[in-house]
């Protein structure tokens, strides 16, 4: 299931926990076990819905289980996709200091440590080796991750 809270040029969907809550409830009622909340502050509502429905949610950008708006919602956060901004910043600073910086688009993904996942809460400890094996296949090109979700 894919759902968007707003469509550009309207970016209000990135800071609307109430709409995130409502949308996630609908997804859970339609059979979803896990909702991935790639929507900034709206994810707080998704985590709330997961908690209420005794389901899972996945955060985005940072380890959301460390700063959930309500401590009890942390128990519903399976993991978070980490956007490793620190890796991009460190690369930029290092290149500038070495006088090697080149302007343009710099992509930071799985292969260069630009993204990752959180282990807070221990919810995925038992499948970490499987996740890492899939990560290795993505890095090698054996698995190609689509750039857009189905239906987008």
């Amino acid at each position: 299931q894919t759902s968007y809270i707003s469509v550009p040029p309207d970016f209000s969907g990135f800071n609307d926990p109430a709409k995130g809550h409502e949308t996630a409830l609908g997804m859970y009622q339609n059979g979803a076990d896990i909702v991935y909340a790639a929507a900034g502050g709206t994810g707080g509502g998704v985590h709330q819905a997961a908690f209420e429905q005794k389901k899972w949610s996945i955060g985005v950008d940072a380890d959301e289980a460390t700063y959930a708006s309500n401590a009890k919602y942390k128990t519903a956060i399976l993991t978070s996709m980490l956007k490793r901004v620190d890796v991009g910043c460190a690369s930029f600073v290092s290149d500038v200091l070495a006088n090697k910086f080149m302007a343009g688009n710099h992509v930071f993904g799985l292969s260069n440590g630009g993204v990752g996942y959180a282990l807070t809460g221990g919810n995925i400890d038992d499948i970490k080796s499987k996740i890492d094996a899939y990560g290795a296949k993505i890095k090698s090109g054996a698995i190609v991750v689509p750039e857009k979700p189905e239906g987008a």
Side-chain angles (χ1 to χ4, degrees):
Q1 301 176 42
T2 302
S3 183
Y4 294 89
I5 305 296
S6 65
V7 179
D10 175 9
F11 295 101
S12 64
F14 285 91
N15 195 25
D16 194 333
K19 284 186 181 175
H21 180 259
E22 177 183 340
T23 301
L25 283 177
M27 294 175 98
Y28 291 127
Q29 290 166 358
N30 285 329
D33 294 314
I34 304 169
V35 173
Y36 175 51
T42 300
V46 173
H47 303 317
Q48 177 185 358
F51 176 80
E52 292 169 355
Q53 297 296 305
K54 296 179 177 39
K55 301 282 187 171
W56 290 112
S57 59
I58 296 176
V60 68
D61 295 336
D63 186 354
E64 292 197 32
T66 63
Y67 66 87
S69 62
N70 186 316
K72 65 184 177 184
Y73 301 160
K74 293 178 183 186
T75 62
I77 300 173
L78 181 63
T79 184
S80 293
M81 186 288 305
L82 304 178
K83 188 185 298 178
R84 299 288 314 273
V85 176
D86 59 321
V87 172
C89 290
S91 174
F92 169 74
V93 170
S94 176
D95 287 352
V96 167
L97 291 174
N99 212 20
K100 297 188 316 184
F101 179 74
M102 299 283 290
N105 188 24
H106 299 260
V107 177
F108 294 89
L110 191 60
S111 64
N112 61 4
V115 296
Y117 62 97
L119 296 169
T120 301
N123 299 317
I124 59 171
D125 289 351
D126 61 330
I127 60 169
K128 183 181 181 313
S129 62
K130 288 182 181 181
I131 294 169
D132 291 342
Y134 280 111
K137 288 181 180 181
I138 292 168
K139 289 177 188 179
S140 75
I143 294 176
V144 178
V145 178
E147 292 185 21
K148 293 184 179 181
E150 286 186 34

